[in-house]
Amino acid sequence: MSLDKILAISGKPGLYELKTQTRSGFLAESLLDGKRLSVSIRHNVSVLSEIAIYTFTEEVPLREIFKKIQEKENGEQAISHKESKNKLEAYFSEVLPDYDEDRVYVSDMKKVIHWYNILQAKGMNDFSEPEEDKASEEE
């Protein structure tokens, strides 16, 4: 499954899979407990494929960071997102050594690691780019 269908909804824990659109928003299913949720267009929703992390040279897409975590952990779970601030910063600097410490907060690191662990537990570990993106880049 592509990250284009995975959502983070502000104020709601975990990640959600986009199921269908409705007149007033859309229907999403929690990846944590499988409960369905009707989300209005007033909610602040982020699609994982659109999220990037700041480095000193560029913005790195979340998909690339997930790939790096996956390589570091050999496809297994990462450390807990509830680890101490120092452990999280050390882990994140191993994964993305040139991340911008002034613009990437510990709360961001927690989210990235938590999201990776949720996706990995659900077997959604194909973080390659969708084929249509590759085709448009070649043109």
Side-chain angles (χ1 to χ4, degrees):
M1 161 152 313
S2 134
L3 294 182
D4 295 333
K5 298 268 187 196
I6 306 297
L7 312 170
I9 302 171
S10 181
K12 305 284 183 196
L15 294 174
Y16 294 81
E17 180 182 350
L18 175 65
K19 288 298 186 183
T20 185
Q21 287 190 306
T22 63
R23 282 183 283 138
S24 62
F26 53 89
L27 188 65
E29 182 178 302
S30 171
L31 294 180
L32 292 175
D33 58 14
K35 290 183 180 175
R36 290 191 176 218
L37 172 72
S38 179
V39 182
S40 74
I41 53 176
R42 292 180 302 199
H43 282 89
N44 189 5
V45 176
S46 300
V47 180
L48 262 54
S49 62
E50 302 296 318
I51 297 174
I53 299 293
Y54 294 110
T55 66
F56 291 116
T57 56
E58 62 182 340
E59 292 181 15
V60 178
L62 195 56
R63 141 183 3 270
E64 296 296 320
I65 295 166
F66 285 164
K67 277 189 210 174
K68 290 178 181 192
I69 294 173
Q70 188 177 38
E71 289 169 13
K72 177 178 174 21
E73 300 297 337
N74 295 321
E76 299 298 318
Q77 291 273 306
I79 65 170
S80 171
H81 64 284
K82 296 180 181 180
E83 291 286 351
S84 70
K85 176 183 186 272
N86 292 340
K87 279 188 179 180
L88 290 170
E89 288 175 338
Y91 185 84
F92 213 77
S93 64
E94 287 178 35
V95 173
L96 194 64
D98 62 338
Y99 79 92
D100 188 342
E101 294 97 355
D102 294 332
R103 296 178 5 180
V104 179
Y105 303 109
V106 173
S107 60
D108 300 325
M109 295 175 200
K110 285 182 179 186
K111 285 180 192 173
V112 169
I113 292 169
H114 185 55
W115 292 345
Y116 170 82
N117 285 335
I118 291 171
L119 293 172
Q120 196 278 335
K122 287 291 183 182
M124 298 178 180
N125 50 9
D126 179 15
F127 303 120
S128 57
E129 288 186 44
E131 292 302 316
E132 60 198 43
D133 287 354
K134 289 179 183 173
S136 65
E137 286 178 7
E138 291 173 3
E139 291 177 1

